[in-house]
Amino acid sequence: MKGLFSLIPAVAVAMSADAQTADKNIIRISTDNTDLVLEVGPNKRLYQTYLGPKLLHAEDLSNLSWCQHAGSDASVSTRGWEVYSTSGNEDYFDPALGITHSDGNMSTYLYYISSSSEAVDGGVHTRINLCDDKYPVSVTINYIAYTRENVIKTWTEISHKEKGPVTMSQYASAMLYFNRSAYWLTEFSSDWAKEAQMSTQQLLFGKKVIDTKLGSRAAMFTHPFFEIGLDGPAKEHSGDVLMGTLGWTGNFRFTFEIDNVGNLRVIPGINPYASSYELVADEVFTTPEFIFTLSYDGIGQGSRNLHDWARKYGLKDGEGERMSLLNNWENTGFKFNHEILEQLMKDAKHLGVDMFLLDDGWFGNKYPRKNDRTGLGDWEATRDKLPAGIPALVNAAKDAGVRFGIWIEPEMVNPKSELYEKHPDWVIEQPNRETYYYRNQLVLDMSNPKVQNHVFSVVDNILCDNPDVAYFKWDCNSPITNIYSPYAGKKQGQLYVDHVKGIYNVLRRVRDKYPDVQMMLCSGGGARCDYEALKYFTEFWCSDNTDPIERIYIQWGFSQFFPSKAIAAHVTNWNKDTSVKFRTDVAAMCRLGFDIGLNKLTTEDLEFCQQAIANWKRLSPAIMDGDQYRLVSPYEGNHAAVEYVDKSGNMAVVFAYNLAPRFQEKLQAVKLQGLDPNNKYLVREINLMPGTESKYSWNGRTYTGDYLMKIGLDIFTYRHNTSAVIELEVVR
Ligand code: DGJ
């Protein structure tokens, strides 16, 4: 032990008053309902002693002991539960941090130096500084505990002062431990048009890894979020569940490892796949934020925690209003001109939406964007199609009385473009191998500051010339292919990470300069949906699959982690076998839009849509900003129901769907939630087709909240692919 603390300053083990509890060695990170308790062991290393429901008595914290978790032999003083476990020490499971020091030594031991905490918007930010005793490597672990929302955000900063570079092979955002009887993982598998499909399995001894290697986006085959049912499979309305998500728009990895004594270790972070990161002295490497909540009342409460948190602290303009819109992608594809768009803007107004959104296909002159093979990168309006350019479109929208939004995909390039001809070195592409194309395009090298400037200028130029552009749909249709950066030189191992950091540099500039412009995050459907990107976006496109039956599942999946306000849903012609009403009712559970030719709608359908939009706007305090209750899961039967209650409790709305009920199967009443049992509610079916009346006996009657929550309403029927929307209004 000679020289053990030679590098640790004498002020070590001095906690600020805020971070202290009665016991100097204990750090308590608390929300209203949850405690995460850490303890500096006698060996000066930092251990997690507790993570669970809030403890009532501070004196109990000192009864928690880091060594009680140390495994069968509690006298082995340094095993297990270290808050940020490192490689090369006596813990034989996956570490959070793996470092090769400049002299080739691969071990790191982190000792407590100091900690502090300060009040921040919505909570408390705790910083804990750790340092190796033999190498000048420092790690700061950060936690922001959002008190009322019961959400904790954690991330880590790593730096060093060694003489040569230090290489990091693993650099997780955090590590959490659980000591429970069983662990059930719910993951969200995905693919194009098949996003957020939920499946659950029990975790047993050993490791389960969920990761992606797509480079320019987090998701395609799986999403960067998970749920762990503690003691049993996670349930919607009861039981303990951990819900976690990583804010990183690139390769991510979640490792779940059950160790020799049946404890679970959760390690979220960047996927270090092909990404050994060389850290130079004094550079601070900041990991992505891991955002989690613990609910003791099932997933539904966990989701509401995250929804509240996201609206307040997660999304760009999370508390602002959202615009309903008419998009042209599914309707016209690439085939449009100024006159067609002008008519669509008038249609948007007639429909009653707030905005017209012009999608792909408006740009490129040398290589006009007639299809997805050309033009990407050349952000000038195609003269043949749009002779007067975007300014004329913005004016046409003004004349029609709607706002104007526009699609871009600025991080990408078609090889058939002027941009690629001018700057082949701006592209991620192998110098000495045949190029592989995904959707006929390549990814611009966002690690290159010149490319970052170019990408920023795509948005900046449009907005400088057209300050009235109100909205961008920012697409990203290709994962990184042919991984090689002409800019990175020998540091190719950092490209996956630096590329994503480059994207954030651009997005930060866009948000800072244009805080009021609404932005949709899109990635060939819903392949980008993480909370770091969403700091810069008001919403995301969750799938190109707008078949309403599929959407019920897809939106159900995303709703676990994201509020409806963040999820864009459009009524299209996918699955024309279903009615326009059914399609609209499904889309109305999120930020409602349309992507359909009005001239193809019947008079009744059009009238229905106009009425449904007006209803959606009126009920928006509940749907967009209220509490969501997932009442009946489509995964558990042939029906689904979701309820939204506005924060004042005065208004609620239930969306109910009959998917494919069996002949004379037992139909259950739908029991509502989140109402005041002593209030009386007028219950009315809305979103009815013009000229039809509700057939429900409860329509127009008044019920107490108690009745609605204990007995419920008979809403479900045997009619396949049908829906009902029910509005509840408090009667005083
Ligand atoms: C993929 C998106 O998901 C679609 O909505 C559409 O914008 C196309 N890209 C356009 O190329």
Side-chain angles (χ1 to χ4, degrees):
M1 296 286 273
K2 188 163 174 277
L4 176 66
F5 297 110
S6 54
L7 279 167
I8 300 180
V11 290
V13 199
M15 290 184 213
S16 84
D18 289 337
Q20 283 180 25
T21 63
D23 183 332
K24 279 213 307 296
N25 295 324
I26 292 173
I27 302 170
R28 182 179 194 178
I29 291 145
S30 299
T31 68
D32 276 347
N33 294 341
T34 291
D35 265 326
L36 169 61
V37 184
L38 315 178
E39 182 181 332
V40 181
N43 59 1
K44 303 290 178 256
R45 284 162 70 180
L46 185 67
Y47 295 90
Q48 177 192 312
T49 53
Y50 181 77
L51 174 55
K54 181 96 166 235
L55 299 170
L56 290 181
H57 307 290
E59 73 227 44
D60 286 336
L61 300 187
S62 51
N63 292 328
L64 298 162
S65 170
W66 60 278
C67 66
Q68 81 190 9
H69 302 297
S72 50
D73 181 2
S75 65
V76 179
S77 58
T78 49
R79 273 174 51 195
W81 295 83
E82 192 166 12
V83 167
Y84 199 67
S85 166
T86 46
S87 61
N89 68 21
E90 71 293 334
D91 183 283
Y92 295 105
F93 296 89
D94 254 16
L97 181 66
I99 280 184
T100 305
H101 297 279
S102 49
D103 65 0
N105 191 316
M106 295 176 78
S107 72
T108 299
Y109 282 67
L110 294 176
Y111 297 93
Y112 177 86
I113 299 290
S114 62
S115 62
S116 61
S117 59
E118 60 171 329
V120 293
D121 190 17
V124 177
H125 183 174
T126 303
R127 287 186 186 83
I128 306 170
N129 301 312
L130 309 171
C131 185
D132 196 337
D133 60 325
K134 301 291 182 202
Y135 293 89
V137 169
S138 303
V139 167
T140 301
I141 305 178
N142 295 269
Y143 301 90
I144 297 185
Y146 293 91
T147 320
R148 291 185 59 190
E149 293 74 21
N150 291 302
V151 166
I152 299 177
K153 185 165 99 171
T154 173
W155 72 99
T156 301
E157 292 153 306
I158 305 157
S159 62
H160 73 90
K161 289 187 182 297
E162 294 192 23
K163 293 218 165 60
V166 156
T167 307
M168 299 189 298
S169 55
Q170 315 213 43
Y171 31 91
S173 295
M175 242 176 133
L176 297 178
Y177 300 83
F178 294 89
N179 175 6
R180 304 294 281 254
S181 61
Y183 314 95
W184 289 75
L185 169 71
T186 298
E187 56 187 314
F188 296 78
S189 70
S190 179
D191 203 341
W192 179 78
K194 247 181 94 174
E195 289 86 347
Q197 306 293 309
M198 297 169 67
S199 60
T200 299
Q201 60 183 275
Q202 185 171 9
L203 295 174
L204 297 171
F205 173 77
K207 245 189 284 186
K208 158 87 182 173
V209 170
I210 299 176
D211 70 348
T212 61
K213 306 181 178 75
L214 302 154
S216 59
R217 48 171 80 174
M220 187 153 77
F221 305 126
T222 181
H223 294 284
F225 36 88
F226 66 85
E227 296 165 356
I228 302 275
L230 299 165
D231 297 330
K235 289 197 249 144
E236 184 67 30
H237 307 303
S238 63
D240 291 6
V241 58
L242 165 73
M243 300 171 69
T245 178
L246 190 77
W248 183 245
T249 318
N251 303 343
F252 72 88
R253 186 173 78 176
F254 297 133
T255 304
F256 306 95
E257 185 164 25
I258 298 191
D259 64 18
N260 54 322
V261 291
N263 292 332
L264 171 68
R265 294 142 181 258
V266 178
I267 314 178
I270 292 176
N271 187 356
Y273 159 79
S275 296
S276 290
Y277 203 95
E278 199 182 283
L279 202 60
V280 294
D282 292 325
E283 180 185 351
V284 179
F285 185 90
T286 305
T287 69
E289 293 167 353
F290 176 61
I291 299 134
F292 70 93
T293 186
L294 272 168
S295 161
Y296 316 102
D297 298 303
I299 313 164
Q301 184 56 52
S303 296
R304 287 187 290 281
N305 294 348
L306 290 162
H307 296 173
D308 284 344
W309 173 83
R311 283 185 292 242
K312 279 215 159 104
Y313 312 107
L315 303 174
K316 178 178 183 182
D317 193 19
E319 295 185 291
E321 281 185 18
R322 298 295 183 262
M323 292 184 282
S324 55
L325 61 85
L326 178 68
N327 188 195
N328 71 313
W329 174 246
E330 293 286 336
N331 181 12
T332 68
F334 294 98
K335 286 196 193 119
F336 56 81
N337 57 26
H338 180 90
E339 288 67 38
I340 291 173
L341 297 182
E342 207 170 9
Q343 181 56 49
L344 290 179
M345 294 174 199
K346 290 179 188 152
D347 289 352
K349 181 67 185 174
H350 185 50
L351 190 59
V353 294
D354 304 307
M355 184 179 63
F356 172 73
L357 169 61
L358 170 59
D359 215 285
D360 194 355
W362 59 267
F363 49 87
N365 281 299
K366 184 170 177 189
Y367 301 106
R369 179 82 168 167
K370 288 191 189 123
N371 51 44
D372 63 16
R373 289 191 288 279
T374 55
L376 213 50
D378 302 343
W379 301 104
E380 277 172 5
T382 307
R383 282 185 289 277
D384 292 354
K385 271 184 180 172
L386 305 170
I390 299 172
L393 293 174
V394 176
N395 282 336
K398 246 188 227 160
D399 291 346
V402 289
R403 308 299 306 273
F404 180 77
I406 194 163
W407 179 97
I408 50 172
E409 193 179 2
E411 301 153 73
M412 304 280 159
V413 64
N414 283 127
K416 276 209 159 180
S417 67
E418 292 183 73
L419 183 70
Y420 186 77
E421 285 174 352
K422 264 190 237 148
H423 298 290
D425 57 325
W426 281 10
V427 168
I428 295 180
E429 192 175 10
Q430 290 283 343
N432 52 1
R433 295 179 194 279
E434 203 179 318
T435 301
Y436 163 65
Y437 298 98
Y438 190 100
R439 210 198 192 205
N440 313 300
Q441 63 195 58
L442 294 169
V443 179
L444 291 175
D445 180 0
M446 298 298 291
S447 72
N448 181 341
K450 282 192 186 146
V451 177
Q452 293 172 22
N453 286 339
H454 159 79
V455 173
F456 173 72
S457 76
V458 174
V459 179
D460 198 34
N461 290 346
I462 293 174
L463 281 170
C464 286
D465 295 348
N466 308 280
D468 287 331
V469 167
Y471 181 101
F472 280 86
K473 176 177 178 182
W474 180 308
D475 210 341
C476 159
N477 280 296
S478 176
I480 292 181
T481 51
N482 321 288
I483 183 83
Y484 182 87
S485 156
Y487 175 76
K490 292 235 162 77
K491 289 195 168 183
Q492 296 294 327
Q494 299 184 192
L495 180 54
Y496 278 126
V497 174
D498 290 345
H499 179 83
V500 177
K501 295 201 166 178
I503 295 173
Y504 296 146
N505 288 344
V506 175
L507 291 174
R508 204 172 300 117
R509 287 168 71 185
V510 172
R511 184 192 57 188
D512 291 351
K513 188 158 177 195
Y514 302 108
D516 298 328
V517 174
Q518 299 202 7
M519 312 260 294
M520 179 205 273
L521 180 63
C522 174
S523 182
R528 270 185 171 174
C529 52
D530 67 87
Y531 272 119
E532 186 61 28
L534 284 170
K535 285 180 181 170
Y536 311 104
F537 289 86
T538 39
E539 59 190 30
F540 68 94
W541 181 235
C542 68
S543 183
D544 282 346
N545 190 339
T546 42
D547 172 337
I549 297 165
E550 296 302 325
R551 269 290 178 132
I552 287 174
Y553 290 88
I554 292 169
Q555 293 172 192
W556 185 274
F558 281 112
S559 78
Q560 315 276 310
F561 284 84
F562 303 97
S564 23
K565 175 170 231 175
I567 304 174
H570 296 174
V571 179
T572 74
N573 272 334
W574 280 56
N575 196 351
K576 278 206 268 183
D577 290 343
T578 60
S579 66
V580 167
K581 168 177 164 53
F582 186 71
R583 285 178 255 163
T584 307
D585 288 350
V586 172
M589 289 194 295
C590 295
R591 198 279 288 133
L592 177 63
F594 288 77
D595 194 350
I596 198 166
L598 260 49
N599 51 3
K600 293 182 198 110
L601 294 179
T602 64
T603 315
E604 290 75 32
D605 279 343
L606 178 58
E607 205 183 308
F608 167 82
C609 292
Q610 289 165 327
Q611 194 51 53
I613 292 164
N615 286 339
W616 180 81
K617 288 186 179 176
R618 183 166 43 77
L619 292 166
S620 193
I623 303 170
M624 297 279 97
D625 294 309
D627 292 326
Q628 185 191 54
Y629 295 88
R630 288 180 298 258
L631 303 177
V632 179
S633 168
Y635 282 92
E636 284 167 14
N638 301 317
H639 300 87
V642 180
E643 178 195 3
Y644 302 85
V645 184
D646 90 311
K647 291 283 182 188
S648 73
N650 286 330
M651 138 202 313
V653 56
V654 177
F655 294 86
Y657 305 97
N658 307 298
L659 298 169
R662 304 284 305 275
F663 176 71
Q664 290 206 343
E665 72 170 55
K666 183 155 169 44
L667 298 178
Q668 298 284 354
V670 178
K671 291 182 188 165
L672 275 55
Q673 294 189 12
L675 304 178
D676 182 334
N678 299 316
N679 270 349
K680 290 199 172 116
Y681 296 84
L682 171 65
V683 178
R684 283 184 306 128
E685 185 183 5
I686 57 166
N687 281 15
L688 287 158
M689 286 302 287
T692 64
E693 282 180 9
S694 177
K695 296 197 173 68
Y696 291 113
S697 58
W698 42 254
N699 183 50
R701 294 180 59 182
T702 300
Y703 296 86
T704 65
D706 191 47
Y707 179 99
L708 292 166
M709 293 193 289
K710 288 182 179 155
I711 295 160
L713 296 173
D714 288 317
I715 307 176
F716 292 141
T717 73
Y718 295 112
R719 277 173 291 130
H720 284 206
N721 302 339
T722 54
S723 52
V725 182
I726 300 103
E727 180 175 353
L728 289 93
E729 195 189 330
V730 172
V731 194
R732 300 277 174 211

